[in-house]
Amino acid sequence: MSGDTGILSFGAYIPRKRLQRAAIYSTNAWFAPGLKGLAKGERAVGDWDEDVITMAVEAARDTLEGVDRATVGSLSLASTSLPFVDRLNSGVVKEALNLADGIAALDVTGSQRAGTSALLQALAAAAGGRGPHLCLASEMRKSRPASEAELTTGDAAAGLLVGAGEPVARFLGAHSVTADFVDHYRSAGMTFDYAWESRWVRDEGYMALAGTALQAALRSLAVAPEAIDRLIIPISVRGVAEGLAKQAGVRAEAVEDTLAANVGDAGVAHPLLMLAAALQTARPGEKILLMGFGQGVDVLLFEATDALDKLPPRRGVQGALARRFSDENYTRWLFHRGLLDLELGMRAEADQKQPATTLWRNRKAVLGLVGGRCAKTGVVQFPKTDISVNREERSAHTQEDHPLADRKARVVTFTADSLTYSPNPPSLYGMVDFEGGGRITVEFADVEGVDVEVGREMRMMFRIKAVDESRSFTKYFWKAAPVA
C-alpha cells in the first residue's frame, strides 16, 4: 500500500436516549443542592441492552460505510469500561462485523487517553505498510448517584479507519508526554472513579500539564498557533478549552464544541468522537490539532484533504445527535445501570447460561447475523442449514454465507408482551423481512416514542440479548430498530 498516511474514514455512535440533567438533579437536590449549576442540557445514556461492545460495533459500522471490510487488517478497542476483564472485547466486535479470522485484534485500556494512544500506534503501524487498522473507542462508565460525574459524563463511541492511500485527513505528526498525574483513578474491584479536588485538577492538570504539552507540540511540529483551524480539547470543564487555546496562541474561533451540552464527557471515546465531528464539517486544507489527556498528554496534527468530498455519506456525529429521544426517567436509568435493586418477579428467574460450545459452533449466525443463500435456487434463510427451506427444492449442502446485518428490513408482524420479563417492559418483538430475501423473528430496540407498524423500515443493531447474572456473562444478538 502506498500514499499518505492518515485517516481513511470515520464514524460515530451516540445512544438514542438523552437523559435530562434536570431530572437527575430534581431527584438528588435534597442531598446535593450544589449540583444545580450542572443541571442543564442532557447526557447520552445507553439503554439496558447496550454496552461498550455494542456501541463500538455501531461506530465501526458507520466508519466502514462504503469500505470493503475484507481490506481491514487489524482493529483495536479502547475503553476503561470494557465489559470483560479476561475475554477479548475487540474480538466480539470483530465477530459482529463479520471480519476475517485472519486479522489481529487488541483491547487498549488503563487511561483516559487510551483512544489517542491507540490511534498513535495505528498510525505508526500504517506508516510501516500494514493494512488499514480500525481504531475504535467506546465508553460507558458508572457514576455514583448525586455526584458531579453523574451529570457530566456520557456514553458514546467513535471509530477511525487508519492507513495509507488517500486519507481524508493526512497525519502530520504528534507529540506525547507521560506523567503520573492522578486526577482520578479506579482500582481493580472499584465500581466508581475516585476524583481529586476539581480546582487542583484544573490548575495543575489541564492548564499546567496539558497547556505545556500543547505549546511544546506546536513547537516540535513546527506549526504556528494561528495556522490551526480546528483545536480539539476533549475536556468539558467550562472555560478550559478556551483557556488552553489562549495560552497557546490559537484563535478562539478554532476551538471545537466539546459536546458537553448534549452528550457529556465520553471518556476514552471523547477525543475520537470530537475528531469525527470535526471531520464531518471540515474543509480541505484545514489543520486539525487533537489532544488526549490522561496521565499525560497526546497531541496529534492532521490536515483535511480533498478525499473528504469522495467519502460516502454516513450518520456520523451530526446524524447521531439528530437521532434522539428525550428521557426524564432517572429511576429507570439507575435500574439499567445496576444501581437500583428492583423486585424482578419469578419470570426473571430463567437460567441464562450460554454454552460456550454452542456459541462457538454458531458464532457467525449469533454474533455476525450471517444466514444462508442457496446457490442453486437463490433462496435466503436464517439460520443457515444443510438443507434449504425452499419447499419447491429441498437442496442439500448448497448454502453459502449470506450476511444480513446491513440489509434493510421491514416489519411483517409485531407483538408488545407485558407478561414476559424485560428490563424495559413491554417486550416488543416480531418478524421482519430482509431486502433480497430472508426473514427472522427478533426483539425490537429503540422503540420508545416511535410508532411501530407493519411495513415500517427497520435497521438491525447489535445488542445485549440477556445477561447471565450467576456467571457474569453477557449474551449478544441482533435486534431490529426503527429507521429514524
Side-chain angles (χ1 to χ4, degrees), residues 458-474:
M458 307 291 274
R459 179 180 186 271
M460 303 307 295
M461 300 186 75
F462 192 65
R463 293 294 179 95
I464 294 171
K465 172 68 174 174
V467 177
D468 180 356
E469 301 287 357
S470 301
R471 304 165 190 87
S472 297
F473 190 83
T474 303

Side-chain angles (χ1 to χ4, degrees), residues 36-356:
K36 186 175 182 179
L38 299 174
K40 299 176 183 177
E42 57 191 19
R43 56 159 295 175
V45 297
D47 213 331
W48 75 267
D49 56 356
E50 297 188 271
D51 65 5
V52 162
I53 287 177
T54 65
M55 292 195 303
V57 169
E58 294 306 319
R61 294 172 73 191
D62 197 40
T63 303
L64 296 175
E65 188 69 42
V67 175
D68 180 1
R69 296 187 185 183
T71 64
V72 178
S74 57
L75 72 88
S76 60
L77 173 56
S79 177
T80 63
S81 49
L82 295 164
F84 291 98
V85 175
D86 192 356
R87 182 189 182 191
L88 192 62
N89 297 270
S90 55
V92 182
V93 175
K94 170 261 169 189
E95 298 287 3
L97 297 174
N98 196 30
L99 299 178
D101 288 350
I103 74 168
L106 175 71
D107 292 346
V108 184
T109 188
S111 165
Q112 288 297 292
R113 65 182 172 116
T116 52
S117 296
L119 177 57
L120 276 172
Q121 295 303 312
L123 288 163
R130 300 182 185 179
H133 176 92
L134 180 57
C135 184
L136 303 170
S138 180
E139 198 81 285
M140 185 183 284
R141 296 173 289 178
K142 285 188 177 182
S143 49
R144 195 183 299 276
S147 67
E148 286 191 18
E150 186 180 45
L151 290 160
T152 59
T153 55
D155 307 331
L160 300 169
L161 186 65
V162 176
E166 294 185 49
V168 298
R170 187 180 300 109
F171 178 54
L172 301 181
H175 176 81
S176 292
V177 172
T178 298
D180 188 31
F181 180 79
V182 188
D183 56 332
H184 75 281
Y185 70 92
R186 186 171 73 251
S187 297
M190 290 176 62
T191 302
F192 309 110
D193 290 358
Y194 184 88
W196 206 249
E197 198 272 324
S198 58
R199 186 171 59 179
W200 178 76
V201 174
R202 177 189 178 103
D203 293 345
E204 293 297 323
Y206 301 150
M207 304 311 297
L209 179 59
T212 301
L214 180 59
Q215 294 172 63
L218 291 168
R219 290 194 299 270
S220 66
L221 295 170
V223 59
E226 57 271 17
I228 301 301
D229 298 291
R230 295 175 184 260
L231 178 62
I232 299 173
I233 306 290
I235 299 171
S236 58
V237 177
R238 187 179 302 171
V240 167
E242 294 78 6
L244 287 172
K246 183 177 180 180
Q247 193 180 84
V250 177
R251 293 173 294 110
E253 55 268 28
V255 178
E256 290 289 286
D257 177 17
T258 63
L259 305 176
N262 45 13
V263 177
D265 181 354
V268 166
H270 213 66
L272 273 59
L273 186 72
M274 289 183 64
L275 179 56
L279 290 172
Q280 201 164 6
T281 58
R283 297 185 300 274
E286 287 187 338
K287 285 187 171 54
I288 304 170
L289 196 65
L290 168 69
M291 173 186 286
F293 180 85
Q295 284 75 63
V297 183
D298 291 327
V299 182
L300 297 84
L301 180 62
F302 297 93
E303 183 178 47
T305 74
D306 294 333
L308 275 170
D309 297 331
K310 304 175 186 176
L311 204 62
R314 64 210 52 239
R315 175 171 283 164
V317 174
Q318 289 182 346
L321 288 174
R323 180 182 176 270
R324 64 182 289 278
F325 171 73
S326 180
D327 188 6
E328 297 185 359
N329 196 330
Y330 174 57
T331 304
R332 176 174 58 189
W333 179 69
L334 288 178
F335 170 57
H336 288 170
R337 281 294 189 274
L339 301 176
L340 183 63
D341 191 15
L342 299 181
E343 171 56 58
L344 305 184
M346 287 188 293
R347 290 188 176 91
E349 295 175 1
D351 192 345
Q352 296 290 345
K353 183 176 182 179
Q354 171 66 70

